[in-house]
Amino acid sequence: MTLPTHAGIVVIGGGIIGCSTAYHLARDHKADVVLLEQGKLTSGSTWHAAGLVGQLRSSASITRVLKYSVDLYKGLEAETGLATGWKMTGCLRLATNADRWTEYQRLATTARSFGMDMHLLSPAEVKRMWPLMETGDLVGASWLPTDGQASPSDITQSLAKGARMHGAKLFEAVRVTGFEMKDGRITAVKTNQGDIVCDKVVNCAGQWARQVGAMAGINVPLQPVKHQYIVTEKIDGLATDAPTLRDPDRRTYFKEEVGGLVMGGYEPNPQAWTTGDVPNDWEFRLFDDDYDHFEQHMTQAIARVPALESVGVRQMINGPESFTPDGNFILGVAPECANMFVGAGFNAFGIASGGGAGWVLAQWAVDGEAPLDLWAVDIRRFSNLRSDRQWVCERTLEAYGKHYTIGFPHEEYTSGRPRIVSPLYERLKEHRAVFGSKLGWERPNWFAPKGIEPKDSYSMGRQNWFAAVGDEHRHVREKVGIFDQSSFAKYELSGPDALKALDWICANDVSKPVGRLTYTQLLNTRGGIEADLTVARLGDERFYIVTGTGFRTHDLSWISDHIGEGHNARLADVTEDFGTLSLMGPRARDVLADVTSADVSNAGFPFGHAREITIAGHMVRALRVTYVGELGWELHVPIAATGEIFDALMAAGKEHDIRPVGYRALESLRLEKGYRAWGSDITPNDTPQEAGLGWAVKLRKNTDFIGRRALEAVNGAALKKRLAGFTVDDPAVVLVGRETILRNGHPVGYLTSGGYGYTLGQNIGFGYVRNADGVSDDFLASGKYELVVAMEPTPAKIRLEPMYDPAGDRVKA
């Protein structure tokens, strides 16, 4: 078959992700698809994958992607005639300590929130299911019966055949050598056998995805890591339908294969392969066996399955797998190039993810936007920091080492830090700040009182910062606090068509006079919320946009991609030009008035306005806005003057008892006020009306904007889900999100975020209540509610109004 000169979509890579993407593009979208593989199909990482297929993740959307894989694998052989090796054996996850058992109780609750049935078993039940296992140290195990295993090569060949059946063209031994580019877009793929003019490219090149991306100026932050497992000889007494087994406290996994066991693990001292380029000719190749490094797994595995001590090893597999800096895979449109899509870095979950990842990636490439909330795996969650290969290597090895560790709430990575610090870093350290990291920025999470070590101590219950954060929270409610939010992402949009562009992109009305501030969402074509930010009008043709730290790459890319052709508007990232100090609390005005000659009275500087004021001789962009429910300002200051202005505020605030406050208090404050957090409470799956943000949408204005048609189509109809707040009185309960919401004993949703409200003295959660026949005020108010926390129902009260909304409304006073 001759290589074509034109194609609608070129898929690069013939592993399971590339073949699945080609299959779905051809089957679902009848796309003109060409797949290019530099060696033979499966010859990269796919052929030596262990083939475990698990489904449950902490994100509902990613769990749905993995469940789709299972459904696809079940029926693929019937469609293509090629076996996939799929066996639904179920999966046991073992627990040997109380924290792990609590984690499983929470996981089982999450599973049920997502429509899956995970069971918790006793050691005796585990022994009956897996008689060869030593169970003396077990607390119990979780059991997910719909998990399984498959043959990676067989599934991939079956997907490849299905792709061909639906019209896709697959070529082996064709190497991509570069791209022709025009105006930041790919116009053609260059290969060693000729060029292919195309509309879009999907980079599924596995461990080569970083190199392929670099040819188009795209950063794909991957690190190949050596991953070893063994295949044993036949073991007497091992059932052919034995469940797959994960033993995370011993860092090992097992699956039955031809009467023997596949056994591998995730060690705390992993071995990176190369931070340079992966050789192009690495086809069906492995590293030398490394039994010295693997011994730690053998020791733990024999303790769990004693029969391993006397059985022969048929083969050791030591091959590279692509891992990422946060342990989540990479999907989506590259921020540097609007027509390259990426599916790579599957962290040894490639077989489990392959079917579903191909499905959503194909839809994404055709529509130009994700079909559901895929933020957890979106390539735009990274920043330029991830182009530093050494940093990526260090962080990725840490993520690999955490693969089987207990997932404590609020746990922070430690490698590669500190990387980016605000000018206040040393000052805040003197105040005993305990820092977390967000997109490379060091940010104060909380401040340790004297006598308490300034360090997080993780647990599944209340953590060591709980009381200290409560003090910070109360201080903001009663006096005044100052937050270092310099890591906020900040952009300027300017030009004759800046307003037209924003009118099209923003759901709310930004055509306000100069000096006004607008809180708005950016929507996708389904009406789902793609971003949540503020826009300040600095001039007739100049706007200042502020969004969350973690969304910097995503929101910049979204705005840039949707400005619209023909609009004369320039978007600039000015994040590092400005430090941000948020001054919040009932005494905030007193402090601000002492450091500026500007009128900061409510009449002179009302809520929702932006002004340029002078502090300590420096011009400051002051935005009258709050995320905590108190009187306050965001002060955007020249980055070099951040320290000087901080010192001036602290000196003026001394008589008002000012103190620095961290992000954990910010979270509890916003929960009480009912402010939504993008990525949890509001996502691309949720519309403003469902989220209670319909007031921030300009449907009454005769202006078209992205998502308007979708919102108009359901305007006036009964909503099938609505965001609501919940409180729980029991102080022993810890809410972290994904707890199941019961109404009159029946599941109706799950929490999207959870925490503690120190002013209320209650646990607080937010989540969507669902009902196919509509969720009216009466429906919400008439139910009796419980939250299932770690499998235990606890009484809860629904709250439809902000839980903290003091008389006189201090936000606007």
Side-chain angles (χ1 to χ4, degrees), residues 477 627 666-675 681 753-757 764-766 802-804:
R477 289 278 184 251
Y627 192 54
L666 189 79
E667 174 66 7
S668 66
L669 290 159
R670 76 94 187 166
L671 282 170
E672 285 188 339
K673 185 62 181 175
Y675 291 133
D681 306 319
S753 62
Y756 193 79
I764 298 174
F766 283 92
M803 299 170 206
Y804 172 83

Side-chain angles (χ1 to χ4, degrees), residues 273-284:
W273 181 16
T274 176
T275 55
D277 287 351
V278 174
N280 285 324
D281 61 354
W282 191 271
E283 182 181 353
F284 294 117

